[in-house]
Amino acid sequence: MSAFLSVRDLRKTFPVSRGLFGKPELLHAVAGVSFDVPAGTTFGLVGESGSGKTTIAKMVMAADEPTSGGIVIDGSDIATHGKAERFAFRRLLQPVLQDPYSALSPRMRVDRIIDEPLRIHRTYSSKAARAERVAYLLDAVGLPASAAQRYPNEMSGGQRQRVAIARALALEPRLLVLDEPVSALDVSIQAQILNLLRDLQDRLGLTFLLISHDLAVIGFMSTQVGVLYLGRFVEVGSKETILSDARHPYTLALIASAVPEADAAPVTGEIPSPLSPPSGCVFHTRCPVATDRCRQEVPSLRQLKPNHLVACHFAETTRKETRNA
Amino acid sequence: MSDLLRVENLTTWLATESGIITAVDDVSFSVRPGRALALVGESGSGKSMTCSSIMRLLPASGHIAGGRVLFEGEDLLAKSPAEMEAIRGRKIGMIVQDPMTSLNPLFDVEDQVGEVFRYHLGDRSRRARRPKVLDVLSRVQIPAAEKRLGSYPHEFSGGMRQRVAIALNIACAPKLLIADEPTTALDVTVQQQILALLRDLQRETGMAIILVTHDLHTVQRFCDEVAIMYAGRIVEQGPVAEIFARPAHPYTEGLLRALPQLGGQEDRLPLIPGQPPSLASLPAGCRFAPRCRRATDLCRTEYPDWMATAGETRRSACWYADEVLG
């Protein structure tokens, strides 16, 4: 199957100045990331703050320009887009962000919020046709027709996220970038939104790029999972592989934090500054099984078995060792 | 062992734009020394308001309308403001979600931690305070504490900042630590470290902990007892292991099911329909009834009284608790 979204060796470097006259240092927010997302599937990016997951999402949405590397969506390289193509591209891809409150204008009624992309892109010739589309979208995301007459501040967090999803769907996009879509919501509402997203994916054949720090959410939604640490993948594989046969000590630690009875050794310390990433394996400062080799030699992202990549020198033995550590 | 803290029928009103609401409604629970109680609930369930009421730190719009808060046998609600000042930070510590809001950005760490010793223990000399400050910073496992005495809060990472906030609050060896979502703003791996630290400190000092959280995994891992709140009331409470294994309230049952399980293969999450009621317009009867698949006419008209279930240690506010238990 050919990929709907294809990311190749993506890099993003920010210059960070030290003081007024200091020489700017380079912060490698994303340091060479590649992945493919076949149409109709979900790729889950999981990582902690500073792992580069939101920077990747921004570049995929063309809200930020890559320093190098390529992003191909539906067969077209987004770096080569002219103004007209960029405009059309917006219909193909829509974001759903963490905080629906800041994503929705407080001065606009819900029907206008959902109608706005339709007006901008002139997809419907008549007002009546647009109104019909708005009503259809409200129904599709599980909101009553009366929601159209309300303002975002009159709604709960879950309802607002439904409005944001309805607006994202207005132009019939094929790819949704979901950046922490449920982290701001309560547990009982999270489940409703996650189910809704899966329903919509099945019904409309949508492709998802999902970003979350919550491995349980990633596991529920994703087909394929990439674990990010300091701007690079430490492990990539199918959901089943990552959840039941993970090999990187960092993935194992993330799993341990999501399963109460897990017995992996705890990870010490905090994520290092991306301004001065550690030598060798970037994770060695926190790894329970690191050796001298890890401190010197950068592990490549190597294939352990089909559709399972791990960047660890000791991927073959980590599962046993982290337990004994 | 006798209770360190006993909250009896605590009721707190809050003035809002839509009128006066009862944010905490007839809440009772107790905490014993060396134990950890979780207050669990979704936003607006009243868990944080319960803590603010115990600490007497309500916003100006809040008012404690009734009940008692017995700490070491004395009612905190009857204390004068000056007496409360002497209790806060000395006998009861409190840490919050974002340590940046509880730390003063203009003072270095030595000054802020030292202030606790000056205020509560009367240590006037900065030099005499230093070893105590270093000691408490090392107890919260801040590496190279001597080098960080002159650092300001913004120079610390989120996890380290939360450690400083914990240091401030355990400096005087309090009997009770209230932790209101202490790890919500932190990265997953750092969350585990902070929880492990709190557990170590608890083992060392025998203090009681009230942990406010919305994260059921954290409850399961960290706490002995749990009280689940819904729309201002406690709907179920008891030992964590028993409640997680066999919930006796449909809301608890629904919450546990709605949580995505790692490695679960289900296509859809079993969910609780609808959303929590607005505290300004509560349904008659059980507040969960509109979302409950077991609700009957009885539930819709009359609030269920407390009923003991599955032994003396557990309570569930459901007419059909025994059926839920199965």
Side-chain angles (χ1 to χ4, degrees), chain B residues 208-231:
Chain B
I209 293 182
I210 296 178
L211 180 75
V212 174
T213 182
H214 65 280
D215 181 358
L216 297 169
H217 286 312
T218 301
V219 174
Q220 202 168 3
R221 200 182 272 257
F222 184 79
C223 296
D224 306 295
E225 259 96 13
V226 59
I228 291 148
M229 296 190 72
Y230 187 79

Side-chain angles (χ1 to χ4, degrees), chain A residues 205-221:
Chain A
L206 296 166
T207 308
F208 289 162
L209 177 61
L210 169 70
I211 289 168
S212 177
H213 67 280
D214 186 339
L215 204 55
V217 169
I218 291 276
F220 174 66
M221 294 287 293

Side-chain angles (χ1 to χ4, degrees), chain A residues 14 36 83 109 137:
Chain A
F14 296 104
D36 291 318
K83 215 174 164 189
R109 247 172 41 179
L137 288 165

Side-chain angles (χ1 to χ4, degrees), chain B residues 169-182:
Chain B
N169 281 287
I170 60 153
C172 297
K175 298 272 176 61
L176 172 67
L177 183 67
I178 298 178
D180 190 349
E181 303 268 11

Side-chain angles (χ1 to χ4, degrees), chain B residues 49-272:
Chain B
M49 274 296 159
T50 303
C51 294
S52 307
S53 303
I54 295 170
M55 291 296 268
R56 302 257 311 272
L57 287 173
L58 286 171
S61 56
H63 171 71
I64 297 175
R68 296 200 300 170
V69 177
L70 297 169
F71 179 72
E72 296 184 310
E74 292 178 44
D75 190 356
L76 292 184
L77 302 185
K79 299 274 184 200
S80 70
E83 286 171 317
M84 277 312 291
E85 296 258 297
I87 289 171
R88 283 186 216 120
R90 168 135 198 204
K91 291 191 160 178
I92 307 180
M94 182 162 183
I95 49 177
V96 295
Q97 179 171 337
D98 179 8
M100 218 41 194
T101 59
S102 56
L103 297 175
N104 189 325
L106 299 178
F107 290 90
D108 66 29
V109 166
E110 179 170 18
D111 279 340
Q112 297 199 49
V113 180
E115 170 71 9
V116 181
F117 293 112
R118 192 195 62 76
Y119 186 87
H120 286 298
L121 305 177
D123 292 339
R124 299 208 171 277
S125 138
R126 191 180 158 96
R127 190 178 297 166
R129 285 198 302 259
R130 178 165 284 188
K132 293 188 184 179
V133 171
L134 279 174
D135 175 58
V136 71
L137 289 180
S138 68
R139 282 177 60 209
V140 297
Q141 294 157 21
I142 291 181
E146 352 29 275
K147 288 191 196 137
R148 313 238 38 184
L149 284 175
S151 300
Y152 291 84
H154 75 267
E155 298 175 89
F156 287 91
S157 67
M160 284 298 149
R161 238 180 256 152
Q162 194 59 286
R163 287 175 194 268
V164 173
I166 294 172
L168 284 175
N169 281 287
I170 60 153
C172 297
K175 298 272 176 61
L176 172 67
L177 183 67
I178 298 178
D180 190 349
E181 303 268 11
T183 60
T184 310
L186 304 175
D187 277 326
V188 202
T189 52
V190 179
Q191 287 184 5
Q192 301 311 315
Q193 296 167 11
I194 295 290
L195 289 172
L197 171 68
L198 286 175
R199 192 161 29 201
D200 288 348
L201 290 168
Q202 183 176 39
R203 223 172 271 152
E204 216 175 281
T205 62
M207 67 181 173
I209 293 182
I210 296 178
L211 180 75
V212 174
T213 182
H214 65 280
D215 181 358
L216 297 169
H217 286 312
T218 301
V219 174
Q220 202 168 3
R221 200 182 272 257
F222 184 79
C223 296
D224 306 295
E225 259 96 13
V226 59
I228 291 148
M229 296 190 72
Y230 187 79
R233 291 201 176 199
I234 292 178
V235 294
E236 176 164 15
Q237 64 188 98
V240 169
E242 287 178 39
I243 289 188
F244 275 59
R246 287 173 72 215
H249 193 284
Y251 178 60
T252 319
E253 191 184 43
L255 273 189
L256 291 173
R257 281 199 197 150
L259 211 57
Q261 293 295 321
L262 265 197
Q265 294 298 324
E266 69 278 89
D267 244 21
R268 297 292 180 272
L269 297 166
L271 48 77
I272 308 176

Side-chain angles (χ1 to χ4, degrees), chain A residues 48-49 156 159 186-189 191-192 194-195 198-199 202 213 215-216 220 240 243 250 255-260 267-270 286, chain B residues 42-43 157 159-160 187-190 192-193 214 217 220-221 255 258-260 262-269 271-275 291:
Chain A
E48 300 181 280
S49 47
S156 68
Q159 288 173 324
D186 283 318
V187 180
S188 71
I189 310 299
Q192 296 176 1
L194 293 177
N195 281 356
R198 284 194 67 159
D199 284 340
D202 288 354
H213 67 280
L215 204 55
F220 174 66
E240 291 74 21
L243 295 185
Y250 181 64
I255 292 173
S257 65
V259 184
V267 163
T268 53
E270 296 179 28
R286 305 175 67 194
Chain B
E42 303 186 81
S43 36
S157 67
M160 284 298 149
D187 277 326
V188 202
T189 52
V190 179
Q192 301 311 315
Q193 296 167 11
H214 65 280
H217 286 312
Q220 202 168 3
R221 200 182 272 257
L255 273 189
L259 211 57
L262 265 197
Q265 294 298 324
E266 69 278 89
D267 244 21
R268 297 292 180 272
L269 297 166
L271 48 77
I272 308 176
Q275 44 193 320
R291 304 174 73 187

